[in-house]
Amino acid sequence: QVQLVESGGGLVQPGGSLRLSCAASGIIGRTYLMGWYRQAPEKQRELVATITGGGNTNYADSVKGRFTISRDNAKKTVYLQMNSLKTEDTAIYYCNIHLGRNDYWGQGTQVTVSS
């Protein structure tokens, strides 16, 4: 059974930084896509960034140049370094693994950007 556990959310002022982590268990190999999504109040969940097992990345336009996704295949962990945070980045951030036809989700971690 695949499980994802996120950490690293919190309250930060505009312009600040946070680093999210997501550790996976119950999965083998590295041929799966890992990513981060977010959902703000009264909005649909949206893609933030994804990374393949080989390290190829994809970002939403709204976070390009500010966020960096990375992964440690040995630790089965994906990270999201968020810099120059804006109030509109406030959301619940969810870790995701896409493997074959299946999607697995973490429980979510709250990120609040406010002065």
Side-chain angles (χ1 to χ4, degrees):
Q1 181 177 357
V2 177
Q3 291 187 322
L4 303 174
V5 178
E6 299 128 335
S7 60
L11 173 65
V12 63
Q13 292 186 341
S17 298
L18 281 175
R19 188 189 194 211
L20 306 183
S21 300
C22 173
S25 60
I27 193 166
I28 60 174
R30 65 173 190 174
T31 58
Y32 46 89
L33 189 68
M34 300 187 83
W36 290 94
Y37 290 72
R38 66 186 181 187
Q39 187 166 15
E42 300 182 355
K43 291 189 176 181
Q44 290 188 332
R45 190 174 297 188
E46 63 176 5
L47 170 73
V48 176
T50 60
I51 184 167
T52 67
N56 293 319
T57 58
N58 178 54
Y59 295 93
D61 289 341
S62 59
V63 306
K64 283 181 181 176
R66 300 188 299 121
F67 290 11
T68 302
I69 190 171
S70 61
R71 66 190 274 176
D72 184 327
N73 290 322
K75 295 182 178 180
K76 301 188 189 302
T77 299
V78 62
Y79 306 95
L80 186 68
Q81 178 66 44
M82 304 185 293
N83 298 328
S84 302
L85 282 161
K86 305 175 180 180
T87 55
E88 51 263 44
D89 295 318
T90 295
I92 299 174
Y93 284 69
Y94 296 92
C95 175
N96 169 268
I97 283 181
H98 180 74
L99 176 60
R101 298 181 179 181
N102 297 314
D103 278 288
Y104 303 94
W105 297 93
Q107 80 284 358
T109 184
Q110 177 70 47
V111 171
T112 302
V113 185
S114 175
S115 55

